[in-house]
Amino acid sequence: MLYAVLCYNDESVTSAWSKEEDDRVMRDLTAVQRKYVEAGKLGPVARLLPTTAATTLRHATGETIVIDGPFAETKEQLLGFYLIDCGSLDEALDFARELSSANPSSGSYEIRPLALFKPGELPS
Amino acid sequence: MTDTAWIDLALVSARPQAMGALLRYFRNLDMAEEAFQEACIRALKAWPKSGPPRDPAAWLIFVGRNSGIDKVRRQARETALPPEEMLSDVEDRESELADRLDGSHYRDDILRLLFVCSNPTLPATQQIALALRVVSGLSVRQIARAFLVSEAAMEQRITRAKARVAAAGIPFETPDAADRAERLAAVATMIYLVFNEGYSAMNGPEGVSADLCDEAIRLSRLLLRLFPAEPEIMGLAALLLLQHSRARARFDAHGAIVLLEDQDRRLWNRGMITEALAMIDKAMRHRRPGPYQVQAAIAALHARAERPELTDWEEIELLYQTLERLQPSPVVTLNRAVAVSKREGPEAALALVEPLGERLSGYFYYHGLRGALLKQMGRVGEARVAFDRAIALATNAAEAAYIRMQLDHLAAETGRPDSVKEKQ
């Protein structure tokens, strides 16, 4: 069974970390991850840029609209995620539009740039 | 992190929200500050035992407000004045607070707080000092160090600023859309000034100025969280991140200035650059360009170039033209001249620079750039005169040292003694 572990924290707190504090947290986290990487249990690790860097594509009444900011509607839940390598925000939005038109439900796709990515490896 | 470090972090990040709300209750900066400090002291006692409250800001507002009201009542008994007249909004709001503060209220409180500090009747240095004290909670000592003045002088400056704000009368009503846009611009300028204060003093006492830059970035993030759909605020945050991303490359081991094209780009902070580029991309989609966005877009073009010779000077010149249209200023034209010199050579750039002489005769960079262009054209004597003027106008040791180096180069090329050295 694969599990996704999603990290939540208060951004106003994490963005108040000094560089030293941030480095320490990342180092300590990496130390925890290493054990699982060596055991072949850990896949990709990603850190997202702050929500202020996010763009949201919302699918409503037959058309898609692009809005600012993070996707923060509490009545909608995170269902899954993709990682895609795009040259620009427009390209990422095109991808989200395609997903959206293939998706029969309304709902939204939040486009959050990554701050860190480690591919990891899992036995398939 | 130590056991109580989380409390310090929570207090720092809750400060603008709590101070904003307390200012709304008490309508007086000193009272709001005292109430917040009292609430922090109680938090330091209570939280280690009880754990963090669900909403630290709401907790601090509630406790701070009660302690402030207590204090006013005590003073009122002593002076026999009805306390109600000194207070506003004292009707009970516990349920609202317990239910978590309404988002829009919170936004207006913080905006009001920031706006009070960027009060246009205050000189820029007082605006910055007040914001650092009230919004950021830096100690008077820290602020005094950043401005290289004595603690007593800074204390006086802040006290004067507070008195002026009180005399000016603070608008407490919820700002309407037009008002808000105006306030937002004033607040953005104030944050930009805080950053510049740190940026230009970067070669001062170690760490002090970097703290100011970090603080300005933190404030810009706060503003962006409050107004996530304002492209100019995205532009401001991106601009500050891009400029600060070069902090480690701007000076060499001896504290001398390293020009952009000579900087070791591996020292640039990639994390900050990535975040800023994402913000600029997003801002551009709004098709509402403003001065911060354009400046950030220029900085982004430098950040995107892996090597200096890959810099897209054509696009940079176009952006400077846009900036000239949005915010005409001889300094912007001077910057455009740098882009022109890269594309068309020093003659074309000098033709742009010369007419600015009247307005920029007291500006360090005007004479510095003029000297550099004349030097490139082989007009050594005139270059020397320009560099001499620049050195007299340098505002810090690193600037002066840089021009002295230029003069040394000139002297080495022409075999003549350097006139500035002779004078010293």
Side-chain angles (χ1 to χ4, degrees):
Chain A
M1 187 74 188
L2 292 174
Y3 295 90
V5 179
L6 306 172
C7 178
Y8 290 91
N9 200 342
D10 182 349
E11 243 170 44
S12 63
V13 170
T14 52
S15 65
W17 284 343
S18 68
K19 172 136 189 357
E20 290 71 32
E21 282 164 337
D22 193 89
D23 288 348
R24 189 164 56 226
V25 171
M26 294 311 278
R27 200 176 53 234
D28 292 350
L29 288 173
T30 308
V32 173
Q33 291 158 12
R34 190 175 303 126
K35 191 171 67 180
Y36 294 88
V37 170
E38 281 162 10
K41 285 171 175 291
L42 189 67
V45 174
R47 185 181 186 181
L48 300 178
L49 282 173
T51 48
T52 45
T55 310
T56 301
L57 182 91
R58 193 169 284 279
H59 184 87
T61 60
E63 54 172 344
T64 55
I65 46 169
V66 177
I67 58 167
D68 280 294
F71 168 67
E73 292 260 358
T74 46
K75 60 185 174 189
E76 292 167 307
Q77 280 84 31
L78 181 68
L79 301 182
F81 59 90
Y82 301 86
L83 279 180
I84 181 163
D85 187 8
C86 290
S88 67
L89 177 61
D90 283 320
E91 208 182 314
L93 280 165
D94 286 342
F95 172 65
R97 273 196 198 93
E98 281 182 52
L99 292 175
S100 181
S101 53
N103 189 339
S105 66
S106 57
S108 0
Y109 292 90
E110 180 183 323
I111 295 126
R112 279 279 283 285
L114 262 63
L116 173 80
F117 180 67
K118 290 184 193 168
E121 258 179 64
L122 278 177
S124 50
Chain B
M1 236 178 278
T2 58
D3 288 349
T4 53
W6 64 269
I7 297 183
D8 290 338
L9 272 176
L11 296 180
V12 167
S13 59
R15 185 180 173 103
Q17 188 182 357
M19 274 296 293
L22 290 169
L23 180 67
R24 172 159 50 87
Y25 290 130
F26 297 118
R27 305 198 169 193
N28 176 304
L29 275 175
D30 282 325
M31 281 178 75
E33 265 199 304
E34 270 174 43
F36 181 75
Q37 255 147 34
E38 182 60 34
C40 287
I41 291 167
R42 293 195 197 174
L44 284 167
K45 280 184 200 151
W47 294 2
K49 280 177 246 156
S50 63
R54 199 164 55 86
D55 186 338
W59 193 98
L60 291 166
I61 293 165
F62 187 60
V63 171
R65 193 184 62 129
N66 283 347
S67 85
I69 291 171
D70 274 356
K71 192 162 176 240
V72 171
R73 292 222 171 98
R74 276 199 308 276
Q75 280 171 350
R77 270 199 298 278
E78 284 155 22
T79 56
L81 274 173
E84 280 74 18
E85 285 178 18
M86 293 183 66
L87 299 172
S88 62
D89 280 5
V90 287
E91 75 270 25
D92 259 19
R93 285 172 181 259
E94 282 91 340
S95 55
E96 186 199 355
L97 283 172
D99 255 4
R100 193 178 185 95
L101 291 168
D102 173 31
S104 60
H105 231 129
Y106 152 47
R107 188 176 75 166
D108 288 335
D109 279 346
I110 294 182
L111 185 60
R112 185 182 295 113
L113 181 65
L114 289 164
F115 182 70
V116 161
C117 298
S118 48
N119 190 304
T121 66
L122 296 177
T125 50
Q126 287 188 20
Q127 290 184 13
I128 302 169
L130 196 60
L132 291 173
R133 178 72 207 102
V134 172
V135 189
S136 304
L138 298 192
S139 71
V140 173
R141 208 176 106 232
Q142 283 172 302
I143 304 170
R145 273 199 339 149
F147 280 89
L148 304 174
V149 298
S150 74
E151 218 173 310
M154 185 48 73
E155 180 79 63
Q156 211 181 24
R157 196 182 288 179
I158 293 171
T159 308
R160 264 206 301 270
K162 281 182 182 167
R164 216 147 160 182
V165 164
I170 309 162
F172 278 94
E173 75 289 354
T174 301
D176 61 26
D179 234 13
R180 181 176 286 148
E182 193 181 306
R183 289 184 187 194
L184 203 53
V187 166
T189 307
M190 188 266 295
I191 292 174
Y192 189 63
L193 290 174
V194 171
F195 184 86
N196 273 334
E197 191 63 36
Y199 191 80
S200 57
M202 202 58 113
N203 55 333
E206 183 95 29
V208 171
S209 45
D211 286 352
L212 283 190
C213 292
D214 287 339
E215 193 50 41
I217 288 173
R218 204 174 70 85
L219 291 174
S220 73
R221 286 185 195 282
L222 175 73
L223 205 56
L224 189 55
R225 269 202 301 277
L226 299 177
F227 299 93
E230 283 295 334
E232 266 297 83
I233 305 302
M234 292 174 212
L236 174 68
L239 177 62
L240 302 191
L241 283 167
L242 285 168
Q243 289 188 338
H244 202 41
S245 74
R246 302 185 196 128
R248 285 199 303 151
R250 285 178 58 214
F251 298 97
D252 68 13
H254 310 290
I257 292 178
V258 183
L259 290 190
L260 188 61
E261 56 192 42
D262 302 323
Q263 287 174 9
D264 180 351
R265 297 184 179 217
R266 287 167 305 179
L267 295 177
W268 290 359
N269 185 321
R270 284 290 141 195
M272 287 186 190
I273 291 174
T274 312
E275 186 182 350
L277 295 181
M279 282 178 186
I280 278 293
D281 279 350
K282 206 171 98 162
M284 291 299 185
R285 295 191 51 84
H286 286 256
R287 309 264 178 267
R288 277 199 286 138
Y292 291 122
Q293 287 171 76
V294 176
Q295 290 177 79
I298 292 169
L301 285 170
H302 287 297
R304 282 196 160 111
E306 277 171 42
R307 294 193 307 277
E309 58 272 25
L310 297 177
T311 308
D312 187 348
W313 288 107
E314 192 177 340
E315 188 64 30
I316 288 177
E317 203 211 319
L318 284 174
L319 285 167
Y320 272 121
Q321 280 176 18
T322 310
L323 194 57
E324 272 181 319
R325 227 173 25 247
L326 291 169
Q327 204 177 55
S329 119
V331 174
V332 174
T333 308
L334 192 69
N335 282 313
R336 180 157 76 85
V338 175
V340 168
S341 80
K342 300 286 181 188
R343 293 184 55 225
E344 299 171 39
E347 289 86 358
L350 195 65
L352 261 182
V353 168
E354 292 289 6
L356 306 173
E358 208 171 307
R359 282 182 297 169
L360 293 183
S361 62
Y363 190 56
F364 168 80
Y365 289 103
Y366 167 75
H367 297 288
L369 177 61
R370 219 177 138 258
L373 294 172
L374 288 164
K375 186 178 145 198
Q376 276 181 54
M377 292 161 70
R379 289 157 67 175
V380 178
E382 290 165 275
R384 193 190 313 278
V385 173
F387 283 138
D388 279 349
R389 288 240 179 93
I391 216 164
L393 292 164
T395 52
N396 61 49
E399 283 178 1
Y402 178 76
I403 296 294
R404 206 162 284 139
M405 194 177 78
Q406 299 289 314
L407 282 164
D408 286 347
H409 286 175
L410 272 186
E413 280 168 26
T414 58
R416 277 162 57 189
D418 173 341
S419 60
V420 168
K421 274 189 177 163
E422 276 173 357
K423 275 183 230 152
Q424 286 177 338

